[in-house]
Amino acid sequence: MAPGQYSTDAQQHTLQPIVTGATVVGLKYKDGVIVAADTLASYGSDARYKDVCRLKKVGEYTLLGASGEYSDYQYLSDQLDEMADEDWLNEDGCLMGPKEYSSYIGRVMYNRRSKMNPLYNQFLVVGKKKDEPAHLMYVDHQGTAFEEDFVATGFGMHLGMPLLRNSWRPDLSLEEAKELIQKVLEICFYRDCRAYCKIRIGVCTGTSVDIGDPIPLNHFWGHNAWIEKRLENTSDAIGTW
């Protein structure tokens, strides 16, 4: 697409994602909801920024996880901060929860898509407000939004969802949920060249919202088939992969 082809002011439009984040995974467990993402923001194919947090606390009961264009995520993050501040300033004893924030995000994404100026993101909006049921919603750049018990964005949709379908249960403990979500991101790290081996996990329990410190993933690259020197002393590539 030529710059300005659909806009008189091309600087106001993201014509293609530049700095992007990969998979975000979220799932409900027995006492709340959990979400996780790696800490990498890629500059094209360059693994440029390796200590980025793509999880954000919104209000008192909600977490936002973002895949896709990082600057668009920052724009929406600023909008949500303004909403949260206004909500707090009302001082009416009634704060917005994950359902309200996910509904707002879905309308923003659909509005921007309808103006041919989308935010190039896939979001997971998760949370638990006091004694209400845990909430987990997926929202993408077209405004498509749906609730689920577990979901992943990016390549996690293809690589991680089979594992989640086989292993998820409504009565998972927090430790079991963390173990499962780390396994999904470990698989994504092995198979997705935009993924990374350091992750952050966010947990919503209904009374607290916490984003943990970065956690390194276990990984192993010493398999014999990967390190065998098959091209030495050969004149062609026959028998290699």
Side-chain angles (χ1 to χ4, degrees):
M1 180 190 301
Q5 184 175 354
Y6 298 110
S7 170
T8 58
D9 186 358
Q11 292 182 348
Q12 301 300 314
H13 283 236
T14 301
L15 300 180
Q16 64 182 25
I18 302 296
V19 178
T20 58
T23 298
V24 179
V25 183
L27 59 91
K28 297 177 183 178
Y29 70 99
K30 180 174 61 175
D31 299 316
V33 61
I34 184 173
V35 63
D38 64 42
T39 61
L40 177 67
S42 299
Y43 180 66
S45 60
D46 179 18
R48 179 66 181 84
Y49 307 103
K50 298 180 180 178
D51 196 22
V52 169
C53 182
R54 295 189 285 117
L55 305 179
K56 176 183 175 60
K57 180 181 178 182
V58 182
E60 293 296 317
Y61 308 105
T62 309
L63 273 174
L64 175 69
S67 294
E69 171 58 44
Y70 195 73
S71 65
D72 287 346
Y73 160 62
Q74 290 174 313
Y75 165 80
L76 185 66
S77 176
D78 290 342
Q79 300 293 104
L80 293 171
D81 285 341
E82 291 182 12
M83 280 193 69
D85 288 345
E86 184 177 351
D87 188 35
W88 181 81
L89 288 170
N90 288 330
E91 295 186 350
D92 56 3
C94 181
L95 296 175
M96 290 192 294
K99 290 185 178 180
E100 290 79 18
Y101 284 114
S102 59
S103 176
Y104 170 77
I105 292 170
R107 295 309 88 214
V108 169
M109 301 300 277
Y110 184 78
N111 177 266
R112 291 289 297 260
R113 165 261 189 194
S114 299
K115 293 180 178 179
M116 303 299 176
N117 184 21
L119 300 177
Y120 287 90
N121 297 104
Q122 294 174 323
F123 293 116
L124 294 190
V125 188
V126 309
K128 188 175 189 298
K129 185 176 180 180
K130 298 181 180 178
D131 296 327
E132 294 181 6
H135 181 79
L136 169 57
M137 178 171 278
Y138 168 94
V139 185
D140 71 8
H141 64 290
Q142 295 176 324
T144 303
F146 57 85
E147 293 184 44
E148 255 297 354
D149 293 324
F150 52 86
V151 72
T153 69
F155 262 109
M157 282 186 171
H158 311 285
L159 302 174
M161 288 300 290
L163 180 61
L164 290 171
R165 291 188 186 105
N166 290 335
S167 303
W168 181 84
R169 310 187 316 271
D171 61 344
L172 285 173
S173 68
L174 177 57
E175 291 306 316
E176 289 174 324
K178 286 184 177 180
E179 183 178 341
L180 176 56
I181 217 166
Q182 287 185 61
K183 183 64 177 177
V184 171
L185 289 172
E186 181 183 327
I187 290 173
C188 291
F189 173 59
Y190 278 127
R191 296 294 182 179
D192 181 5
C193 62
R194 300 291 182 268
Y196 193 51
C197 58
K198 190 167 63 173
I199 67 170
R200 300 186 77 148
I201 298 176
V203 180
C204 300
T205 64
T207 57
S208 65
V209 174
D210 297 309
I211 300 175
D213 294 328
I215 301 171
L217 292 175
N218 295 322
H219 53 94
F220 176 73
W221 300 94
H223 302 289
N224 291 334
W226 293 357
I227 62 177
E228 183 180 349
K229 298 179 180 179
R230 298 189 178 188
L231 291 178
E232 288 189 356
N233 302 319
T234 61
S235 58
D236 54 47
I238 296 175
T240 65
W241 55 284

mmCIF file of all heavy atoms in Angstrom, residues 180-227:
data_model
loop_
_atom_site.group_PDB
_atom_site.id
_atom_site.type_symbol
_atom_site.label_atom_id
_atom_site.label_comp_id
_atom_site.label_asym_id
_atom_site.label_seq_id
_atom_site.Cartn_x
_atom_site.Cartn_y
_atom_site.Cartn_z
ATOM 1 N N LEU A 180 0.625 -25.127 33.068
ATOM 2 C CA LEU A 180 0.054 -25.305 31.734
ATOM 3 C C LEU A 180 0.378 -24.127 30.831
ATOM 4 O O LEU A 180 0.761 -24.301 29.665
ATOM 5 C CB LEU A 180 -1.464 -25.490 31.846
ATOM 6 C CG LEU A 180 -2.250 -25.586 30.534
ATOM 7 C CD1 LEU A 180 -1.715 -26.711 29.653
ATOM 8 C CD2 LEU A 180 -3.736 -25.783 30.823
ATOM 9 N N ILE A 181 0.264 -22.922 31.354
ATOM 10 C CA ILE A 181 0.489 -21.738 30.525
ATOM 11 C C ILE A 181 1.959 -21.611 30.145
ATOM 12 O O ILE A 181 2.303 -21.168 29.048
ATOM 13 C CB ILE A 181 -0.043 -20.483 31.257
ATOM 14 C CG1 ILE A 181 -0.668 -19.499 30.264
ATOM 15 C CG2 ILE A 181 1.029 -19.780 32.083
ATOM 16 C CD1 ILE A 181 -1.501 -18.424 30.902
ATOM 17 N N GLN A 182 2.857 -22.029 31.034
ATOM 18 C CA GLN A 182 4.277 -22.032 30.693
ATOM 19 C C GLN A 182 4.579 -23.070 29.615
ATOM 20 O O GLN A 182 5.421 -22.836 28.737
ATOM 21 C CB GLN A 182 5.114 -22.308 31.942
ATOM 22 C CG GLN A 182 5.163 -21.139 32.919
ATOM 23 C CD GLN A 182 6.086 -21.393 34.092
ATOM 24 O OE1 GLN A 182 7.277 -21.602 33.931
ATOM 25 N NE2 GLN A 182 5.539 -21.370 35.299
ATOM 26 N N LYS A 183 3.903 -24.221 29.678
ATOM 27 C CA LYS A 183 4.105 -25.249 28.657
ATOM 28 C C LYS A 183 3.672 -24.753 27.288
ATOM 29 O O LYS A 183 4.368 -24.993 26.276
ATOM 30 C CB LYS A 183 3.315 -26.507 29.039
ATOM 31 C CG LYS A 183 3.521 -27.674 28.084
ATOM 32 C CD LYS A 183 4.945 -28.166 28.103
ATOM 33 C CE LYS A 183 5.125 -29.383 27.209
ATOM 34 N NZ LYS A 183 6.541 -29.836 27.146
ATOM 35 N N VAL A 184 2.566 -24.030 27.230
ATOM 36 C CA VAL A 184 2.089 -23.489 25.953
ATOM 37 C C VAL A 184 3.102 -22.497 25.379
ATOM 38 O O VAL A 184 3.455 -22.544 24.196
ATOM 39 C CB VAL A 184 0.712 -22.818 26.133
ATOM 40 C CG1 VAL A 184 0.315 -22.059 24.868
ATOM 41 C CG2 VAL A 184 -0.342 -23.861 26.474
ATOM 42 N N LEU A 185 3.613 -21.601 26.223
ATOM 43 C CA LEU A 185 4.565 -20.600 25.741
ATOM 44 C C LEU A 185 5.915 -21.231 25.408
ATOM 45 O O LEU A 185 6.646 -20.713 24.552
ATOM 46 C CB LEU A 185 4.720 -19.488 26.774
ATOM 47 C CG LEU A 185 3.491 -18.579 26.902
ATOM 48 C CD1 LEU A 185 3.642 -17.619 28.073
ATOM 49 C CD2 LEU A 185 3.249 -17.805 25.612
ATOM 50 N N GLU A 186 6.244 -22.318 26.069
ATOM 51 C CA GLU A 186 7.472 -23.043 25.722
ATOM 52 C C GLU A 186 7.363 -23.632 24.318
ATOM 53 O O GLU A 186 8.302 -23.548 23.513
ATOM 54 C CB GLU A 186 7.722 -24.156 26.741
ATOM 55 C CG GLU A 186 8.981 -24.957 26.493
ATOM 56 C CD GLU A 186 9.151 -26.090 27.490
ATOM 57 O OE1 GLU A 186 8.736 -25.913 28.662
ATOM 58 O OE2 GLU A 186 9.681 -27.148 27.106
ATOM 59 N N ILE A 187 6.209 -24.218 23.994
ATOM 60 C CA ILE A 187 5.988 -24.750 22.649
ATOM 61 C C ILE A 187 6.054 -23.628 21.614
ATOM 62 O O ILE A 187 6.656 -23.782 20.539
ATOM 63 C CB ILE A 187 4.630 -25.477 22.584
ATOM 64 C CG1 ILE A 187 4.689 -26.767 23.395
ATOM 65 C CG2 ILE A 187 4.229 -25.765 21.143
ATOM 66 C CD1 ILE A 187 3.363 -27.466 23.543
ATOM 67 N N CYS A 188 5.459 -22.484 21.924
ATOM 68 C CA CYS A 188 5.516 -21.340 21.011
ATOM 69 C C CYS A 188 6.951 -20.867 20.812
ATOM 70 O O CYS A 188 7.340 -20.485 19.700
ATOM 71 C CB CYS A 188 4.644 -20.206 21.538
ATOM 72 S SG CYS A 188 2.879 -20.534 21.481
ATOM 73 N N PHE A 189 7.757 -20.894 21.864
ATOM 74 C CA PHE A 189 9.152 -20.475 21.744
ATOM 75 C C PHE A 189 9.921 -21.392 20.803
ATOM 76 O O PHE A 189 10.736 -20.939 20.002
ATOM 77 C CB PHE A 189 9.811 -20.450 23.123
ATOM 78 C CG PHE A 189 11.301 -20.190 23.073
ATOM 79 C CD1 PHE A 189 11.793 -19.036 22.507
ATOM 80 C CD2 PHE A 189 12.195 -21.118 23.571
ATOM 81 C CE1 PHE A 189 13.160 -18.797 22.445
ATOM 82 C CE2 PHE A 189 13.561 -20.893 23.519
ATOM 83 C CZ PHE A 189 14.047 -19.728 22.952
ATOM 84 N N TYR A 190 9.665 -22.697 20.886
ATOM 85 C CA TYR A 190 10.344 -23.639 20.001
ATOM 86 C C TYR A 190 9.943 -23.446 18.542
ATOM 87 O O TYR A 190 10.756 -23.631 17.636
ATOM 88 C CB TYR A 190 10.027 -25.075 20.416
ATOM 89 C CG TYR A 190 10.851 -25.607 21.562
ATOM 90 C CD1 TYR A 190 10.245 -26.158 22.687
ATOM 91 C CD2 TYR A 190 12.242 -25.582 21.525
ATOM 92 C CE1 TYR A 190 10.995 -26.659 23.739
ATOM 93 C CE2 TYR A 190 13.007 -26.080 22.568
ATOM 94 C CZ TYR A 190 12.385 -26.620 23.677
ATOM 95 O OH TYR A 190 13.133 -27.117 24.698
ATOM 96 N N ARG A 191 8.678 -23.104 18.294
ATOM 97 C CA ARG A 191 8.134 -23.161 16.937
ATOM 98 C C ARG A 191 7.902 -21.802 16.275
ATOM 99 O O ARG A 191 7.684 -21.732 15.065
ATOM 100 C CB ARG A 191 6.797 -23.914 16.963
ATOM 101 C CG ARG A 191 6.919 -25.368 17.376
ATOM 102 C CD ARG A 191 7.698 -26.167 16.359
ATOM 103 N NE ARG A 191 7.796 -27.583 16.717
ATOM 104 C CZ ARG A 191 8.409 -28.500 15.986
ATOM 105 N NH1 ARG A 191 8.970 -28.152 14.844
ATOM 106 N NH2 ARG A 191 8.483 -29.754 16.380
ATOM 107 N N ASP A 192 7.905 -20.717 17.046
ATOM 108 C CA ASP A 192 7.610 -19.382 16.510
ATOM 109 C C ASP A 192 8.868 -18.530 16.611
ATOM 110 O O ASP A 192 9.376 -18.280 17.707
ATOM 111 C CB ASP A 192 6.461 -18.757 17.301
ATOM 112 C CG ASP A 192 6.085 -17.380 16.788
ATOM 113 O OD1 ASP A 192 6.654 -16.946 15.769
ATOM 114 O OD2 ASP A 192 5.228 -16.722 17.429
ATOM 115 N N CYS A 193 9.369 -18.054 15.472
ATOM 116 C CA CYS A 193 10.622 -17.293 15.487
ATOM 117 C C CYS A 193 10.443 -15.888 16.054
ATOM 118 O O CYS A 193 11.420 -15.163 16.233
ATOM 119 C CB CYS A 193 11.212 -17.213 14.084
ATOM 120 S SG CYS A 193 10.190 -16.360 12.880
ATOM 121 N N ARG A 194 9.215 -15.479 16.370
ATOM 122 C CA ARG A 194 8.993 -14.174 17.009
ATOM 123 C C ARG A 194 8.746 -14.318 18.519
ATOM 124 O O ARG A 194 8.432 -13.352 19.187
ATOM 125 C CB ARG A 194 7.791 -13.467 16.377
ATOM 126 C CG ARG A 194 7.932 -13.192 14.898
ATOM 127 C CD ARG A 194 8.992 -12.124 14.602
ATOM 128 N NE ARG A 194 9.057 -11.874 13.162
ATOM 129 C CZ ARG A 194 9.874 -12.506 12.333
ATOM 130 N NH1 ARG A 194 10.706 -13.418 12.795
ATOM 131 N NH2 ARG A 194 9.879 -12.230 11.045
ATOM 132 N N ALA A 195 8.862 -15.527 19.040
ATOM 133 C CA ALA A 195 8.649 -15.763 20.469
ATOM 134 C C ALA A 195 9.985 -15.703 21.210
ATOM 135 O O ALA A 195 11.063 -15.682 20.606
ATOM 136 C CB ALA A 195 7.970 -17.105 20.691
ATOM 137 N N TYR A 196 9.903 -15.726 22.554
ATOM 138 C CA TYR A 196 11.104 -15.549 23.373
ATOM 139 C C TYR A 196 11.016 -16.451 24.597
ATOM 140 O O TYR A 196 9.933 -16.942 24.962
ATOM 141 C CB TYR A 196 11.232 -14.077 23.785
ATOM 142 C CG TYR A 196 12.573 -13.696 24.365
ATOM 143 C CD1 TYR A 196 13.752 -14.023 23.697
ATOM 144 C CD2 TYR A 196 12.659 -13.016 25.580
ATOM 145 C CE1 TYR A 196 14.979 -13.673 24.219
ATOM 146 C CE2 TYR A 196 13.892 -12.661 26.107
ATOM 147 C CZ TYR A 196 15.052 -12.994 25.419
ATOM 148 O OH TYR A 196 16.270 -12.656 25.947
ATOM 149 N N CYS A 197 12.169 -16.656 25.239
ATOM 150 C CA CYS A 197 12.261 -17.631 26.330
ATOM 151 C C CYS A 197 12.137 -17.000 27.712
ATOM 152 O O CYS A 197 12.551 -17.596 28.712
ATOM 153 C CB CYS A 197 13.577 -18.405 26.240
ATOM 154 S SG CYS A 197 15.042 -17.356 26.302
ATOM 155 N N LYS A 198 11.578 -15.796 27.787
ATOM 156 C CA LYS A 198 11.329 -15.153 29.080
ATOM 157 C C LYS A 198 9.894 -14.642 29.076
ATOM 158 O O LYS A 198 9.474 -13.987 28.117
ATOM 159 C CB LYS A 198 12.317 -14.012 29.324
ATOM 160 C CG LYS A 198 12.289 -13.458 30.732
ATOM 161 C CD LYS A 198 13.497 -12.558 31.006
ATOM 162 C CE LYS A 198 13.523 -11.334 30.132
ATOM 163 N NZ LYS A 198 14.598 -10.383 30.508
ATOM 164 N N ILE A 199 9.127 -14.950 30.114
ATOM 165 C CA ILE A 199 7.703 -14.619 30.129
ATOM 166 C C ILE A 199 7.328 -13.898 31.423
ATOM 167 O O ILE A 199 8.066 -13.922 32.402
ATOM 168 C CB ILE A 199 6.826 -15.885 29.980
ATOM 169 C CG1 ILE A 199 6.963 -16.784 31.217
ATOM 170 C CG2 ILE A 199 7.186 -16.647 28.721
ATOM 171 C CD1 ILE A 199 5.967 -17.925 31.259
ATOM 172 N N ARG A 200 6.163 -13.268 31.377
ATOM 173 C CA ARG A 200 5.558 -12.685 32.578
ATOM 174 C C ARG A 200 4.138 -13.213 32.703
ATOM 175 O O ARG A 200 3.441 -13.386 31.702
ATOM 176 C CB ARG A 200 5.562 -11.157 32.530
ATOM 177 C CG ARG A 200 6.947 -10.572 32.434
ATOM 178 C CD ARG A 200 6.947 -9.067 32.525
ATOM 179 N NE ARG A 200 6.766 -8.615 33.897
ATOM 180 C CZ ARG A 200 7.302 -7.494 34.370
ATOM 181 N NH1 ARG A 200 8.046 -6.733 33.604
ATOM 182 N NH2 ARG A 200 7.089 -7.138 35.610
ATOM 183 N N ILE A 201 3.726 -13.474 33.940
ATOM 184 C CA ILE A 201 2.412 -14.036 34.217
ATOM 185 C C ILE A 201 1.613 -13.066 35.074
ATOM 186 O O ILE A 201 2.120 -12.543 36.071
ATOM 187 C CB ILE A 201 2.541 -15.397 34.939
ATOM 188 C CG1 ILE A 201 3.264 -16.409 34.043
ATOM 189 C CG2 ILE A 201 1.172 -15.934 35.340
ATOM 190 C CD1 ILE A 201 3.520 -17.747 34.706
ATOM 191 N N GLY A 202 0.367 -12.830 34.690
ATOM 192 C CA GLY A 202 -0.548 -11.997 35.470
ATOM 193 C C GLY A 202 -1.692 -12.830 36.010
ATOM 194 O O GLY A 202 -2.198 -13.724 35.324
ATOM 195 N N VAL A 203 -2.096 -12.535 37.246
ATOM 196 C CA VAL A 203 -3.143 -13.306 37.914
ATOM 197 C C VAL A 203 -4.192 -12.358 38.487
ATOM 198 O O VAL A 203 -3.851 -11.373 39.152
ATOM 199 C CB VAL A 203 -2.563 -14.180 39.049
ATOM 200 C CG1 VAL A 203 -3.673 -14.976 39.728
ATOM 201 C CG2 VAL A 203 -1.481 -15.114 38.522
ATOM 202 N N CYS A 204 -5.477 -12.667 38.239
ATOM 203 C CA CYS A 204 -6.599 -11.937 38.831
ATOM 204 C C CYS A 204 -7.380 -12.891 39.730
ATOM 205 O O CYS A 204 -7.835 -13.939 39.258
ATOM 206 C CB CYS A 204 -7.522 -11.385 37.750
ATOM 207 S SG CYS A 204 -6.743 -10.246 36.598
ATOM 208 N N THR A 205 -7.558 -12.511 40.978
ATOM 209 C CA THR A 205 -8.229 -13.395 41.932
ATOM 210 C C THR A 205 -9.573 -12.877 42.410
ATOM 211 O O THR A 205 -10.285 -13.560 43.137
ATOM 212 C CB THR A 205 -7.334 -13.612 43.168
ATOM 213 O OG1 THR A 205 -7.154 -12.354 43.845
ATOM 214 C CG2 THR A 205 -5.975 -14.175 42.774
ATOM 215 N N GLY A 206 -9.936 -11.671 42.042
ATOM 216 C CA GLY A 206 -11.163 -11.054 42.540
ATOM 217 C C GLY A 206 -10.886 -10.012 43.603
ATOM 218 O O GLY A 206 -11.660 -9.068 43.784
ATOM 219 N N THR A 207 -9.793 -10.186 44.321
ATOM 220 C CA THR A 207 -9.390 -9.202 45.334
ATOM 221 C C THR A 207 -8.081 -8.519 44.977
ATOM 222 O O THR A 207 -7.759 -7.470 45.525
ATOM 223 C CB THR A 207 -9.240 -9.871 46.714
ATOM 224 O OG1 THR A 207 -8.290 -10.937 46.626
ATOM 225 C CG2 THR A 207 -10.580 -10.433 47.175
ATOM 226 N N SER A 208 -7.317 -9.108 44.054
ATOM 227 C CA SER A 208 -6.022 -8.526 43.678
ATOM 228 C C SER A 208 -5.727 -8.812 42.213
ATOM 229 O O SER A 208 -6.243 -9.766 41.626
ATOM 230 C CB SER A 208 -4.896 -9.097 44.549
ATOM 231 O OG SER A 208 -4.734 -10.486 44.309
ATOM 232 N N VAL A 209 -4.895 -7.945 41.647
ATOM 233 C CA VAL A 209 -4.399 -8.119 40.282
ATOM 234 C C VAL A 209 -2.884 -7.983 40.336
ATOM 235 O O VAL A 209 -2.371 -6.924 40.731
ATOM 236 C CB VAL A 209 -4.996 -7.064 39.326
ATOM 237 C CG1 VAL A 209 -4.350 -7.171 37.951
ATOM 238 C CG2 VAL A 209 -6.503 -7.230 39.211
ATOM 239 N N ASP A 210 -2.174 -9.032 39.972
ATOM 240 C CA ASP A 210 -0.713 -9.042 40.090
ATOM 241 C C ASP A 210 -0.076 -9.440 38.767
ATOM 242 O O ASP A 210 -0.529 -10.368 38.098
ATOM 243 C CB ASP A 210 -0.263 -10.030 41.175
ATOM 244 C CG ASP A 210 -0.773 -9.641 42.560
ATOM 245 O OD1 ASP A 210 -0.570 -8.488 42.946
ATOM 246 O OD2 ASP A 210 -1.382 -10.500 43.227
ATOM 247 N N ILE A 211 1.003 -8.741 38.415
ATOM 248 C CA ILE A 211 1.851 -9.103 37.284
ATOM 249 C C ILE A 211 3.205 -9.485 37.845
ATOM 250 O O ILE A 211 3.876 -8.678 38.478
ATOM 251 C CB ILE A 211 1.983 -7.950 36.271
ATOM 252 C CG1 ILE A 211 0.617 -7.567 35.715
ATOM 253 C CG2 ILE A 211 2.924 -8.347 35.136
ATOM 254 C CD1 ILE A 211 0.649 -6.350 34.804
ATOM 255 N N GLY A 212 3.602 -10.728 37.627
ATOM 256 C CA GLY A 212 4.828 -11.232 38.214
ATOM 257 C C GLY A 212 6.081 -10.756 37.502
ATOM 258 O O GLY A 212 6.031 -10.165 36.409
ATOM 259 N N ASP A 213 7.223 -11.015 38.121
ATOM 260 C CA ASP A 213 8.515 -10.713 37.506
ATOM 261 C C ASP A 213 8.780 -11.666 36.345
ATOM 262 O O ASP A 213 8.173 -12.741 36.258
ATOM 263 C CB ASP A 213 9.629 -10.839 38.550
ATOM 264 C CG ASP A 213 9.511 -9.794 39.652
ATOM 265 O OD1 ASP A 213 9.031 -8.683 39.347
ATOM 266 O OD2 ASP A 213 9.892 -10.095 40.797
ATOM 267 N N PRO A 214 9.692 -11.294 35.433
ATOM 268 C CA PRO A 214 10.017 -12.192 34.314
ATOM 269 C C PRO A 214 10.511 -13.557 34.789
ATOM 270 O O PRO A 214 11.271 -13.662 35.751
ATOM 271 C CB PRO A 214 11.121 -11.434 33.571
ATOM 272 C CG PRO A 214 10.890 -9.997 33.910
ATOM 273 C CD PRO A 214 10.382 -9.992 35.321
ATOM 274 N N ILE A 215 10.057 -14.609 34.090
ATOM 275 C CA ILE A 215 10.412 -15.989 34.408
ATOM 276 C C ILE A 215 11.082 -16.607 33.182
ATOM 277 O O ILE A 215 10.508 -16.569 32.084
ATOM 278 C CB ILE A 215 9.161 -16.816 34.769
ATOM 279 C CG1 ILE A 215 8.437 -16.207 35.965
ATOM 280 C CG2 ILE A 215 9.532 -18.271 35.044
ATOM 281 C CD1 ILE A 215 7.072 -16.851 36.222
ATOM 282 N N PRO A 216 12.278 -17.190 33.327
ATOM 283 C CA PRO A 216 12.890 -17.877 32.177
ATOM 284 C C PRO A 216 12.220 -19.221 31.920
ATOM 285 O O PRO A 216 11.851 -19.935 32.851
ATOM 286 C CB PRO A 216 14.352 -18.054 32.612
ATOM 287 C CG PRO A 216 14.294 -18.090 34.108
ATOM 288 C CD PRO A 216 13.153 -17.184 34.515
ATOM 289 N N LEU A 217 12.059 -19.554 30.650
ATOM 290 C CA LEU A 217 11.504 -20.850 30.267
ATOM 291 C C LEU A 217 12.618 -21.884 30.114
ATOM 292 O O LEU A 217 13.719 -21.557 29.649
ATOM 293 C CB LEU A 217 10.746 -20.741 28.942
ATOM 294 C CG LEU A 217 9.456 -19.925 28.936
ATOM 295 C CD1 LEU A 217 8.924 -19.830 27.505
ATOM 296 C CD2 LEU A 217 8.399 -20.534 29.840
ATOM 297 N N ASN A 218 12.335 -23.113 30.491
ATOM 298 C CA ASN A 218 13.269 -24.199 30.238
ATOM 299 C C ASN A 218 13.247 -24.547 28.755
ATOM 300 O O ASN A 218 12.180 -24.669 28.154
ATOM 301 C CB ASN A 218 12.896 -25.432 31.056
ATOM 302 C CG ASN A 218 13.020 -25.188 32.543
ATOM 303 O OD1 ASN A 218 13.935 -24.503 32.994
ATOM 304 N ND2 ASN A 218 12.100 -25.746 33.328
ATOM 305 N N HIS A 219 14.438 -24.717 28.166
ATOM 306 C CA HIS A 219 14.489 -25.125 26.759
ATOM 307 C C HIS A 219 15.791 -25.872 26.502
ATOM 308 O O HIS A 219 16.790 -25.685 27.190
ATOM 309 C CB HIS A 219 14.350 -23.913 25.826
ATOM 310 C CG HIS A 219 15.317 -22.803 26.107
ATOM 311 N ND1 HIS A 219 16.520 -22.681 25.462
ATOM 312 C CD2 HIS A 219 15.257 -21.774 26.984
ATOM 313 C CE1 HIS A 219 17.162 -21.622 25.913
ATOM 314 N NE2 HIS A 219 16.427 -21.044 26.839
ATOM 315 N N PHE A 220 15.767 -26.732 25.497
ATOM 316 C CA PHE A 220 16.905 -27.591 25.196
ATOM 317 C C PHE A 220 17.079 -27.686 23.691
ATOM 318 O O PHE A 220 16.131 -27.986 22.962
ATOM 319 C CB PHE A 220 16.668 -28.998 25.791
ATOM 320 C CG PHE A 220 17.752 -29.986 25.457
ATOM 321 C CD1 PHE A 220 18.986 -29.905 26.065
ATOM 322 C CD2 PHE A 220 17.530 -30.993 24.527
ATOM 323 C CE1 PHE A 220 19.994 -30.812 25.766
ATOM 324 C CE2 PHE A 220 18.529 -31.910 24.218
ATOM 325 C CZ PHE A 220 19.764 -31.811 24.843
ATOM 326 N N TRP A 221 18.305 -27.408 23.219
ATOM 327 C CA TRP A 221 18.571 -27.408 21.774
ATOM 328 C C TRP A 221 19.685 -28.392 21.400
ATOM 329 O O TRP A 221 20.244 -28.305 20.313
ATOM 330 C CB TRP A 221 18.984 -25.999 21.323
ATOM 331 C CG TRP A 221 17.932 -24.990 21.593
ATOM 332 C CD1 TRP A 221 17.829 -24.191 22.690
ATOM 333 C CD2 TRP A 221 16.806 -24.678 20.778
ATOM 334 N NE1 TRP A 221 16.710 -23.391 22.610
ATOM 335 C CE2 TRP A 221 16.061 -23.675 21.444
ATOM 336 C CE3 TRP A 221 16.338 -25.148 19.554
ATOM 337 C CZ2 TRP A 221 14.891 -23.132 20.922
ATOM 338 C CZ3 TRP A 221 15.178 -24.608 19.039
ATOM 339 C CH2 TRP A 221 14.461 -23.610 19.718
ATOM 340 N N GLY A 222 19.998 -29.313 22.297
ATOM 341 C CA GLY A 222 21.119 -30.211 22.058
ATOM 342 C C GLY A 222 20.775 -31.545 21.443
ATOM 343 O O GLY A 222 21.540 -32.496 21.583
ATOM 344 N N HIS A 223 19.640 -31.659 20.780
ATOM 345 C CA HIS A 223 19.260 -32.925 20.151
ATOM 346 C C HIS A 223 20.282 -33.319 19.079
ATOM 347 O O HIS A 223 20.751 -32.470 18.317
ATOM 348 C CB HIS A 223 17.869 -32.819 19.527
ATOM 349 C CG HIS A 223 16.803 -32.448 20.504
ATOM 350 N ND1 HIS A 223 16.349 -33.305 21.467
ATOM 351 C CD2 HIS A 223 16.119 -31.287 20.684
ATOM 352 C CE1 HIS A 223 15.425 -32.706 22.193
ATOM 353 N NE2 HIS A 223 15.268 -31.477 21.735
ATOM 354 N N ASN A 224 20.588 -34.592 19.014
ATOM 355 C CA ASN A 224 21.624 -35.072 18.092
ATOM 356 C C ASN A 224 21.336 -34.695 16.643
ATOM 357 O O ASN A 224 22.232 -34.332 15.887
ATOM 358 C CB ASN A 224 21.765 -36.592 18.213
ATOM 359 C CG ASN A 224 22.370 -37.010 19.535
ATOM 360 O OD1 ASN A 224 23.109 -36.233 20.152
ATOM 361 N ND2 ASN A 224 22.063 -38.215 19.983
ATOM 362 N N ALA A 225 20.071 -34.795 16.244
ATOM 363 C CA ALA A 225 19.719 -34.486 14.853
ATOM 364 C C ALA A 225 19.960 -33.015 14.522
ATOM 365 O O ALA A 225 20.117 -32.659 13.353
ATOM 366 C CB ALA A 225 18.257 -34.842 14.589
ATOM 367 N N TRP A 226 19.984 -32.153 15.527
ATOM 368 C CA TRP A 226 20.177 -30.727 15.295
ATOM 369 C C TRP A 226 21.651 -30.337 15.251
ATOM 370 O O TRP A 226 22.009 -29.345 14.626
ATOM 371 C CB TRP A 226 19.465 -29.917 16.376
ATOM 372 C CG TRP A 226 17.986 -30.018 16.317
ATOM 373 C CD1 TRP A 226 17.244 -30.696 15.396
ATOM 374 C CD2 TRP A 226 17.052 -29.421 17.206
ATOM 375 N NE1 TRP A 226 15.913 -30.564 15.649
ATOM 376 C CE2 TRP A 226 15.756 -29.787 16.771
ATOM 377 C CE3 TRP A 226 17.167 -28.626 18.334
ATOM 378 C CZ2 TRP A 226 14.602 -29.374 17.423
ATOM 379 C CZ3 TRP A 226 16.012 -28.214 18.978
ATOM 380 C CH2 TRP A 226 14.752 -28.586 18.529
ATOM 381 N N ILE A 227 22.488 -31.094 15.933
ATOM 382 C CA ILE A 227 23.899 -30.685 16.042
ATOM 383 C C ILE A 227 24.821 -31.569 15.196
ATOM 384 O O ILE A 227 26.011 -31.309 15.104
ATOM 385 C CB ILE A 227 24.365 -30.712 17.505
ATOM 386 C CG1 ILE A 227 24.283 -32.131 18.086
ATOM 387 C CG2 ILE A 227 23.557 -29.748 18.352
ATOM 388 C CD1 ILE A 227 24.794 -32.227 19.510
#
